[in-house]
Amino acid sequence: RDRSPSRGLGDVYKRQVILLFILLAGKWLLSQDKKTTEDKMLQTISVYPEDQITRQPRFDKDKDITAFYQWFGQNLKYPEGLENIKAKVIVRFVVNTDSTLCDFKVLEAPKERAFENAVITLLKGSPKWSPAELADGTKVRIKFTLPVSFQPEK
């Protein structure tokens, strides 16, 4: 048997390459599983190109998005005890075909969960919306992403 140091390093190198390959293959397989889940989700929540949607969702049945922003700004309350903290919450939600908001997903939020809870609680209490519609009148679900900034008063 040849026990030279260079041969031992070659074996170590081969083991590291094999280990790296196994790790990368595992990561790829996990990403494929995640992609399959995301694909299934996209089939559930149809996303249509803007040119196919002839009527955007309307807040409070017949108002535009500006009215929603005004309503939201007037009704959003700072979480109690956190009034001096600057925070940003980004939440995605769906305007459903039955005029409700659903499928809330927090994309970004501070560690104090009270901020995201304040945003989602307010959205859940939103007046009904008119759903988006295609040219043929078919009502469709549509996603919105809402960035919310909490700014302490000075």
Side-chain angles (χ1 to χ4, degrees):
R1 286 184 139 179
D2 181 11
R3 294 197 175 246
S4 64
S6 61
R7 181 154 194 241
L9 287 176
D11 289 341
V12 170
Y13 177 73
K14 285 179 189 175
R15 285 186 195 126
Q16 288 176 339
V17 169
I18 291 170
L19 181 59
L20 180 62
F21 175 76
I22 291 169
L23 289 173
L24 290 174
K27 185 172 177 110
W28 180 81
L29 287 172
L30 287 174
S31 72
Q32 294 305 304
D33 185 45
K34 182 178 180 184
K35 186 175 183 179
T36 302
T37 302
E38 289 171 356
D39 289 344
K40 287 178 186 174
M41 185 175 196
L42 288 176
Q43 291 171 0
T44 304
I45 301 174
S46 299
V47 178
Y48 296 91
E50 291 227 7
D51 61 344
Q52 288 185 9
I53 296 177
T54 57
R55 181 183 160 118
Q56 290 292 327
R58 308 282 292 172
F59 170 70
D60 201 11
K61 302 265 186 206
D62 65 348
K63 298 180 177 105
D64 66 7
I65 196 70
T66 306
F68 168 69
Y69 291 139
Q70 289 173 341
W71 172 84
F72 194 86
Q74 290 170 353
N75 291 286
L76 182 64
K77 304 290 184 232
Y78 241 99
E80 192 173 324
L82 301 173
E83 293 86 355
N84 294 321
I85 297 176
K86 181 179 177 181
K88 181 177 184 180
V89 174
I90 299 176
V91 65
R92 181 182 299 145
F93 60 93
V94 172
V95 177
N96 210 347
T97 56
D98 67 359
S99 303
T100 60
L101 303 183
C102 63
D103 299 341
F104 302 97
K105 181 175 182 175
V106 176
L107 304 177
E108 180 181 321
K111 65 180 180 182
E112 296 86 0
R113 296 197 58 149
F115 288 105
E116 65 187 78
N117 291 340
V119 171
I120 291 175
T121 299
L122 183 56
L123 288 172
K124 286 181 177 179
S126 169
K128 299 276 187 187
W129 290 58
S130 296
E133 293 181 13
L134 300 178
D136 66 1
T138 303
K139 294 177 179 172
V140 293
R141 295 164 49 106
I142 192 165
K143 289 181 185 177
F144 269 95
T145 300
L146 178 67
V148 180
S149 292
F150 288 85
Q151 300 287 337
E153 291 183 19
K154 294 184 179 191

